[in-house]
Amino acid sequence: MPETPTTGEPDKRIRTDLPHTARIWNYWLGGKDNYVVDQEVGEEIRRLHPGIGEYARADRQFLRRAVRYLVTECGVRQFLDIGTGLPTADNTHEVAQRLAPESRVVYVDNDPIVLAHAAALLTSSPEGRTSYLDEDLRNTDTILAQAGKLLDLSRPVALVLLGVVMFIEDDEEARGIVRRLMDALPTGSHLVLSHTVTRPDMPDVDEAVAFWNEHGTPRLTQRPPGAVAGFFEGLQLLGPGVVSCNHWHPAPAPGDDPVEEVAMFGGVALKR
């Protein structure tokens, strides 16, 4: 059953006069939870980097495939999804509970826009549970304490960090956050992480990110693929490793994934 979030007064924190990453992402995915300011910036970024829409789709497809793999191949039944983003098709609990109805999912985000739509994340199969926490990624102790009310943290948990660590600018702080969260989870847990990358052969991505950081909020930090792989240090990376999100166990359905790499890399790893 769903756990109702404490919403407070989220509308006072929502700025509709400034473009916001969650709404722009929603716009690229074809959603309706965005404003003209988000559409304008989204289109300018698309002009600078025409393939940007594929990043959003690749990241969502990566989430769907990773959750499906963890449920069916690894027996995972608990998920801690931090940096949830606006609800869309095939959210973590929908994928997991479709395959294993008893699955439990805790969503975490400190974005008032996401909080305003959290009810869409709190549908659940009768056998399973879902919950939503209004919390900042940096507050790892609070997240773990609150998540532990729904999840059994003595049993394996899949920590899902899709496109969220890139909003932590300092490298050591970012790695420390991931490390603290994984250290608190037991053997048999998994890390699912994606991150925008910078590479010499993708200069238009750098230009698009620079435009975003000048006009949008929150600012994001690109990292080279090797630095993204560093977030999995001490864990056993599952094949094919840290790769373009659309190359991680690509689905066989025609048109589901573009062939070319996107500048959003991800991977899945096991804690032994």
Side-chain angles (χ1 to χ4, degrees):
M1 62 181 291
E3 301 286 337
T4 303
T6 302
T7 58
E9 297 181 325
D11 289 348
K12 292 184 178 180
R13 294 187 287 158
I14 297 176
R15 293 287 302 272
T16 60
D17 58 325
L18 293 175
H20 193 282
T21 182
R23 297 192 307 247
I24 292 177
W25 205 254
N26 176 265
Y27 173 63
W28 286 331
L29 286 169
K32 298 180 180 178
D33 297 315
N34 51 77
Y35 297 95
V36 172
V37 65
D38 306 304
Q39 297 164 16
E40 291 175 346
V41 171
E43 282 304 311
E44 179 60 20
I45 293 175
R46 198 196 304 271
R47 184 189 69 79
L48 293 170
H49 183 54
I52 191 66
E54 296 296 344
Y55 293 20
R57 286 186 287 275
D59 201 46
R60 291 303 300 184
Q61 291 163 2
F62 171 58
L63 170 66
R64 184 177 67 227
R65 295 195 299 269
V67 171
R68 185 170 61 217
Y69 183 91
L70 289 173
V71 170
T72 59
E73 302 296 328
C74 306
V76 174
R77 297 294 184 267
Q78 300 190 110
F79 294 84
L80 177 56
D81 186 336
I82 306 177
T84 303
L86 283 167
T88 184
D90 278 346
N91 298 295
T92 299
H93 74 282
E94 293 171 321
V95 178
Q97 292 178 354
R98 192 156 56 233
L99 299 164
E102 71 275 19
S103 297
R104 295 188 170 204
V105 179
V106 172
Y107 291 105
V108 183
D109 207 303
N110 71 333
D111 188 330
I113 299 166
V114 179
L115 179 60
H117 293 268
L121 294 168
L122 295 178
T123 58
S124 175
S125 67
E127 302 91 338
R129 297 279 293 278
T130 62
S131 182
Y132 180 88
L133 304 178
D134 179 18
E135 195 56 69
D136 190 287
L137 169 65
R138 295 175 176 85
N139 299 331
T140 55
D141 290 343
T142 301
I143 288 173
L144 291 164
Q146 293 299 315
K149 296 179 180 181
L150 183 70
L151 306 178
D152 180 354
L153 299 185
S154 68
R155 303 183 56 138
V157 175
L159 173 63
V160 181
L161 297 171
L162 295 194
V164 61
V165 180
M166 62 192 190
F167 295 113
I168 306 296
E169 183 175 3
D170 183 79
D171 289 344
E172 190 54 41
E173 181 184 11
R175 288 193 296 268
I177 288 170
V178 177
R179 191 161 51 242
R180 287 196 300 276
L181 289 167
M182 288 305 300
D183 283 350
L185 301 179
T187 298
S189 294
H190 290 77
L191 171 63
V192 183
L193 183 146
S194 69
H195 196 298
T196 187
V197 300
T198 179
R199 277 195 338 195
D201 59 337
M202 296 179 173
D204 52 340
V205 178
D206 297 346
E207 187 178 2
V209 169
F211 178 85
W212 167 253
N213 284 341
E214 182 180 352
H215 298 278
T217 182
R219 292 174 58 87
L220 64 86
T221 298
Q222 293 169 277
R223 292 182 170 94
V228 177
F231 287 111
F232 297 93
E233 184 178 355
L235 305 174
Q236 179 184 330
L237 265 172
L238 306 183
V242 177
V243 296
S244 174
C245 282
N246 57 331
H247 289 180
W248 196 90
H249 292 277
D256 189 44
D257 291 285
V259 175
E260 293 185 2
E261 289 184 319
V262 298
M264 182 67 72
F265 276 42
V268 179
L270 167 67
K271 179 177 180 179
R272 286 195 173 277

